[in-house]
Amino acid sequence: QGKIADILASRGQLDEALRIRVEEQLPVYERLGDVRSKAVTQGKIADILASRGQLDEALALHEQRLPVAERLGDIDSLAHIRYSMAALRLQRGEHESGGLQRIHDDLVAAFAISRQLGRPDIIGGIGQLLAKVLAMGGEREEAQDVLTLAEAAFARLDNAAGLAQVRALRETIGAS
């Protein structure tokens, strides 16, 4: 059912993907007492909610998952949760109402975990967002340093689109 929900979500059929996750997947993990799988599924539900524009609900679900991931020592999930919470807070405009430090802290934690995991895809994605947030806070030199790491990650993946995004961001930050 989870794979079907993944396919439906990728095709933009978010309502049906959400229904499967909530009505079919979650109850199974709850009955089995599989805390990790339940938390991972909640993350996928939060991603669907965010795609549907339900930012408050998505953020609340990620906040609910955070202590579970911490208790389990699930660092992969911790990186995803912290990144997702920061991205949602940015989308909600919290950086304009005194929330920039909280966003920054979540991204710094997620970026450190991504580097620990050595996953270039995550390093590149989180690095780009962290660089933007650093630049928003006036830390342009630090932002450029993070972009260097993101650029190396995208080069390792031979990801031309990621490299182009880093170059554009570098120019934007340099021009600020």
Side-chain angles (χ1 to χ4, degrees), residues 17-176:
L18 182 61
R19 186 197 67 74
I20 289 171
R21 297 252 189 245
V22 171
E23 295 177 12
E24 297 183 34
Q25 260 191 300
L26 272 183
V28 170
Y29 296 135
E30 288 169 351
R31 278 193 305 273
L32 293 173
D34 187 344
V35 177
R36 184 184 185 287
S37 294
K38 177 183 174 186
V40 169
T41 301
Q42 287 174 319
K44 292 179 180 191
I45 291 169
D47 292 343
I48 292 171
L49 292 172
S51 295
R52 292 173 41 160
Q54 295 173 265
L55 305 181
D56 295 341
E57 295 89 341
L59 182 58
L61 201 48
H62 283 304
E63 288 173 338
Q64 182 182 342
R65 297 175 57 217
L66 184 60
V68 174
E70 288 171 339
R71 189 175 65 250
L72 294 173
D74 184 353
I75 61 172
D76 194 35
S77 288
L78 284 171
H80 177 261
I81 293 166
R82 294 222 180 259
Y83 169 79
S84 297
M85 290 190 323
L88 288 165
R89 287 190 174 103
L90 276 171
Q91 284 181 277
R92 289 171 25 147
E94 290 183 27
H95 59 291
E96 296 170 346
S97 59
L100 188 61
Q101 186 63 50
R102 189 172 188 185
I103 294 165
H104 169 274
D105 293 347
D106 276 338
L107 285 172
V108 166
F111 192 65
I113 293 168
S114 71
R115 293 185 66 202
Q116 178 185 351
L117 292 170
R119 299 240 337 251
D121 54 332
I122 301 173
I123 293 169
I126 295 173
Q128 285 185 64
L129 191 58
L130 176 57
K132 288 179 189 176
V133 168
L134 288 166
M136 285 180 200
E139 300 177 54
R140 291 197 318 234
E141 189 173 318
E142 292 85 350
Q144 294 290 359
D145 292 343
V146 169
L147 283 177
T148 298
L149 295 170
E151 185 174 44
F154 285 132
R156 206 168 127 204
L157 294 170
D158 199 25
N159 182 332
L163 289 168
Q165 290 171 343
V166 167
R167 278 192 296 279
L169 191 51
R170 221 182 251 292
E171 290 175 20
T172 302
I173 291 170
S176 300

